[in-house]
Amino acid sequence: MLSYQHIYHAGNLADVQKHALLCQMLAYLTVKDKPLSYFETHSGRGLYGLDAAEAVKTGEAAAGIDAVEAREWFGADHPYMQALSAVRDQHGARSYPGSPLLARHLLRDQDRMSLAELHPQEFAALDGLFPRRAANCVKQDGYEMVMERTPPEPRRGMLLIDPAYEVKSEYDAIPAFVAKLHRKWNVGVIAIWYPLLTTGAHLGMVKALEALDLPKVLRHEVRFGPARQGHRMVGSGMFVVNTPFGTEDEAQRLSTLFTAL
């Protein structure tokens, strides 16, 4: 199933949580001079216009990134805001970067980026966004791509797993994938985003991930009201393995902010 397009949801509150933590982790990982490898299994198109008809129709960005900026959740020196500001300077004030573009602004020339996306239109946009030297974009199943390229060179690095969960079996498949990947690449930071649903579909996956007993695990969840009547997503979660230093502090700060919404 390839019907999902993130333009309808870009900049929503789930993106705020996910992207704030992602940028915090990458900022820490890039403090050291040593290069790193960065992967994404479900990259999307990488850049969205919040003034596009699709984004305006749902209003999720207005209740998301627009609202939290008005509340000044993030200072100008926060890595999330630094990357967002750089994207706006380049692409316009109503541009919003997906995780690949946020990561690219925080990574350095010596770092390697590999991005997978299967949706034909989303991949075409993603591939056109990045010069070849900046990212290796492939129209391939992301899980297969990561398994083929790990352990990577350089070995330091991070993977973001960020599916749309269009297929219910994905909840069952992710824990097994993470267990297998960690055996191959035990030093890699593995970050899994998941929606908090009224159906509880995510609960079994999170329980299975916790049962793996992997090192330096962070489970962070925030809750918010549904984007519209009948919408089943009522929160956002991140499960991180080999959590970088400082991420837990940022997660706790975000929890306080989301609670006050």
Side-chain angles (χ1 to χ4, degrees):
M1 294 177 65
L2 295 171
S3 60
Y4 181 83
Q5 291 181 287
H6 192 61
I7 181 60
Y8 291 94
H9 315 290
N12 66 5
L13 286 171
D15 268 359
V16 170
Q17 182 235 13
K18 171 177 57 185
H19 291 160
L21 291 178
L22 172 68
C23 291
Q24 181 70 34
M25 288 188 281
L26 285 175
Y28 177 79
L29 290 173
T30 52
V31 169
K32 291 185 179 180
D33 291 336
K34 293 181 179 179
L36 58 86
S37 299
Y38 179 79
F39 299 94
E40 288 198 19
T41 56
H42 302 76
S43 299
R45 62 172 49 226
L47 179 66
Y48 306 91
L50 299 185
D51 52 358
E54 298 92 337
V56 173
K57 179 180 179 181
T58 63
E60 291 189 34
I65 186 61
D66 292 345
V68 303
E69 283 195 277
R71 291 176 170 87
E72 299 182 343
W73 278 17
F74 305 97
D77 59 345
H78 192 287
Y80 181 26
M81 288 298 104
Q82 289 178 336
L84 181 56
S85 178
V87 169
R88 288 170 171 169
D89 288 345
Q90 185 174 357
H91 297 282
R94 293 304 288 161
S95 297
Y96 187 81
S99 49
L101 196 53
L102 287 169
R104 185 64 268 169
H105 278 278
L106 292 165
L107 295 171
R108 304 147 309 172
D109 290 343
Q110 67 264 39
D111 300 323
R112 295 184 178 181
M113 173 183 273
S114 298
L115 306 171
E117 174 56 48
L118 274 176
H119 191 291
Q121 287 77 30
E122 299 296 281
F123 173 75
L126 178 74
D127 195 40
L129 182 62
F130 292 102
R132 290 293 178 266
R133 67 181 183 278
N136 178 225
C137 302
V138 293
K139 189 173 179 289
Q140 180 184 3
D141 177 89
Y143 303 113
E144 292 178 0
M145 182 267 285
V146 171
M147 281 300 179
E148 289 174 1
R149 300 185 184 202
T150 52
E153 182 56 44
R155 283 183 66 87
R156 291 181 72 242
M158 180 177 181
L159 162 66
L160 176 63
I161 302 171
D162 181 20
Y165 296 96
E166 290 180 287
V167 182
K168 291 183 179 179
S169 61
E170 199 139 27
Y171 291 105
D172 297 323
I174 285 176
F177 171 80
V178 169
K180 184 177 179 181
L181 176 62
H182 182 71
R183 289 193 292 271
K184 289 186 66 180
W185 187 32
N186 63 357
V187 300
V189 177
I190 304 171
I192 305 106
W193 175 83
Y194 56 95
L196 305 190
L197 302 172
T198 55
T199 62
H202 60 287
L203 294 174
M205 182 189 75
V206 175
K207 184 177 180 180
L209 286 168
E210 291 181 327
L212 296 175
D213 196 25
L214 296 174
K216 298 180 182 178
V217 162
L218 169 67
R219 175 184 175 181
H220 181 245
E221 296 179 352
V222 294
R223 293 186 175 273
F224 41 80
R228 52 198 166 276
Q229 187 174 3
H231 195 57
R232 295 180 301 165
M233 188 173 78
V234 291
S236 176
M238 286 281 277
F239 191 96
V240 185
V241 179
N242 289 325
T243 306
F245 178 80
T247 311
E248 290 190 13
D249 291 341
E250 177 65 7
Q252 290 175 4
R253 191 182 76 87
L254 287 171
S255 293
T256 301
L257 292 167
F258 271 91
T259 300
L261 273 176

